[in-house]
Amino acid sequence: MAYDEYDDRAGGAGDGKKTYYVSVGAGQVLEDPHAAAYELVIRATEEEVSKLQELFGDLSSVEEAEAGHYGLSVFDSNEDRELNSGYDETIAQIYRLLYECGTEETKRHIASMNLF
């Protein structure tokens, strides 16, 4: 994809949305497509980007809790299931928001993942 294809001057003028480049694995929302590797392109408002960054923070917290818990636990427990459920729900929320804000290509990619 060429950067110009998602130029903020093209289409959607006045809607308060800008183009962002998202790396889910790294938990990053970038304005510069050359700053780091990214998987998805979205058009979002500042509020939507803030929500996405909040969800990435939540995901990081869940991952840290899982890492600490699994280092101490060798048996499956209700707590394990709760942690997994929290991770799954946060991932689903992230991808729902990315789908809502995504370009057509991003929406097709997320739909192909069959997450929801």
Side-chain angles (χ1 to χ4, degrees):
M1 283 179 265
Y3 175 65
D4 295 338
E5 183 179 345
Y6 300 107
D7 192 324
D8 291 329
R9 293 169 292 192
D15 64 2
K17 294 188 176 197
K18 292 174 47 180
T19 301
Y20 296 92
Y21 305 86
V22 180
S23 171
V24 176
Q28 294 181 317
V29 182
L30 308 163
E31 290 188 51
D32 179 0
H34 306 291
Y38 64 91
E39 299 97 30
L40 304 169
V41 180
I42 63 171
R43 298 254 322 138
T45 63
E46 288 183 26
E47 292 81 19
E48 290 165 328
V49 169
S50 291
K51 177 63 178 170
L52 186 56
Q53 290 171 327
E54 178 183 320
L55 288 168
F56 281 143
D58 292 349
L59 186 63
S60 179
S61 295
V62 170
E63 288 173 336
E64 288 173 14
E66 285 180 340
H69 174 75
Y70 290 127
L72 299 173
S73 174
V74 292
F75 299 105
D76 189 23
S77 68
N78 287 336
E79 191 173 344
D80 292 342
R81 285 186 285 282
E82 288 174 23
L83 286 172
N84 289 337
S85 175
Y87 179 87
D88 292 346
E89 179 57 31
T90 304
I91 282 287
Q93 288 177 8
I94 287 169
Y95 277 104
R96 270 190 225 102
L97 182 54
L98 290 172
Y99 184 87
E100 290 171 14
C101 299
T103 62
E104 287 306 313
E105 184 174 342
T106 293
K107 287 180 180 184
R108 279 191 302 273
H109 177 72
I110 292 171
S112 76
M113 298 170 71
N114 296 317
L115 295 173
F116 45 87

